[in-house]
Amino acid sequence: DAGVTQSPTHLIKTRGQQVTLRCSPKSGHDTVSWYQQALGQGPQFIFQYYEEEERQRGNFPDRFSGHQFPNYSSELNVNALLLGDSALYLCASSLQGGGINGYTFGSGTRLTVV
Amino acid sequence: TQLLEQSPQFLSIQEGENLTVYCNSSSVFSSLQWYRQEPGEGPVLLVTVVTGGEVKKLKRLTFQFGDARKDSSLHITAAQPGDTGLYLCAGARSNDYKLSFGAGTTVTVRA
């Protein structure tokens, strides 16, 4: 049973560029959440997608956007990259929200902005 | 400002010793979850506690949820090098889909 799959695992981008990160949820899960984890910090909630719509958003600028596809997979897009966007981006899947019962996380995409 | 405060930030102990990690908040949570994260990996769910005063045991790990559902602790008995990792607490609230994480406690168990 495949868990949450994220791609790519590592990425280096230049300031001002745009990046797309991808996530396939665990089999049977229909909800995808994205988190940003800076070095030495806990994950910070970016947004959650359910039924192909953004259901809730954290305190992140509009440069961060996402999408969920009919097969429940998801993309995270970040425009006009800043040095401060360097972090581990984690995708978490769950069933119908799942905040109360816990999430299954992927291994993350390490984004470095230079 | 973190909604959940974890202490200590770092903990280094010898194999066989016991340790406790604390997670505190001024907010009430519907559930509180503990995750362990190893370098280069995502967090892995260890346990979810939902009832005030609840105690759950997972082999050598004991988790407790405070009576007021604002705080939690994780106790490891006879720690082993395999327990090394970043321990994160995360709270969930009713009508809120996100998890609020603490900054984590880095635990190192020396052989």
Side-chain angles (χ1 to χ4, degrees), chain A:
Chain A
D1 181 20
V4 176
T5 304
Q6 291 188 244
S7 63
T9 55
H10 296 83
L11 204 51
I12 299 176
K13 289 287 189 178
T14 304
R15 273 181 301 175
Q17 285 189 315
Q18 178 264 344
V19 68
T20 297
L21 310 182
R22 295 177 175 82
C23 171
S24 293
K26 180 180 177 179
S27 177
H29 285 180
D30 59 6
T31 304
V32 172
S33 303
W34 287 92
Y35 288 80
Q36 180 196 65
Q37 187 175 23
L39 205 59
Q41 298 295 319
Q44 297 292 319
F45 177 75
I46 303 175
F47 41 53
Q48 183 182 89
Y49 276 85
Y50 175 68
E51 293 188 339
E52 301 179 50
E53 296 210 349
E54 183 183 290
R55 179 157 67 175
Q56 186 173 348
R57 187 179 186 91
N59 189 27
F60 279 80
D62 292 344
R63 299 187 296 109
F64 289 77
S65 63
H67 189 77
Q68 185 179 35
F69 299 94
N71 67 352
Y72 307 122
S73 67
S74 177
E75 289 182 349
L76 164 65
N77 301 293
V78 188
N79 294 323
L81 284 167
L82 305 173
L83 295 179
D85 294 332
S86 295
L88 180 67
Y89 287 85
L90 294 164
C91 171
S93 74
S94 57
L95 186 59
Q96 295 179 357
I100 300 294
N101 297 315
Y103 293 108
T104 301
F105 282 85
S107 296
T109 294
R110 172 70 63 187
L111 173 64
T112 302
V113 182
V114 297

Side-chain angles (χ1 to χ4, degrees), chain B residues 31-47:
Chain B
S31 77
L32 209 138
Q33 301 159 22
W34 285 92
Y35 292 81
R36 183 171 73 203
Q37 185 177 21
E38 299 187 19
E41 299 293 328
V44 175
L45 180 66
L46 297 174
V47 77

Side-chain angles (χ1 to χ4, degrees), chain B residues 4 7 9 12 22 25 29 31 39 45 51 56 60-61 77 80-81 85-86 88-90 97 100 102 104:
Chain B
L4 287 163
S7 62
Q9 187 177 359
S12 181
Y22 299 94
S25 176
F29 293 98
S31 77
L45 180 66
T51 305
K56 279 193 174 179
R60 295 177 293 100
L61 278 61
T77 303
Q80 299 176 359
L86 176 67
L88 293 159
C89 68
Y97 296 108
S100 298

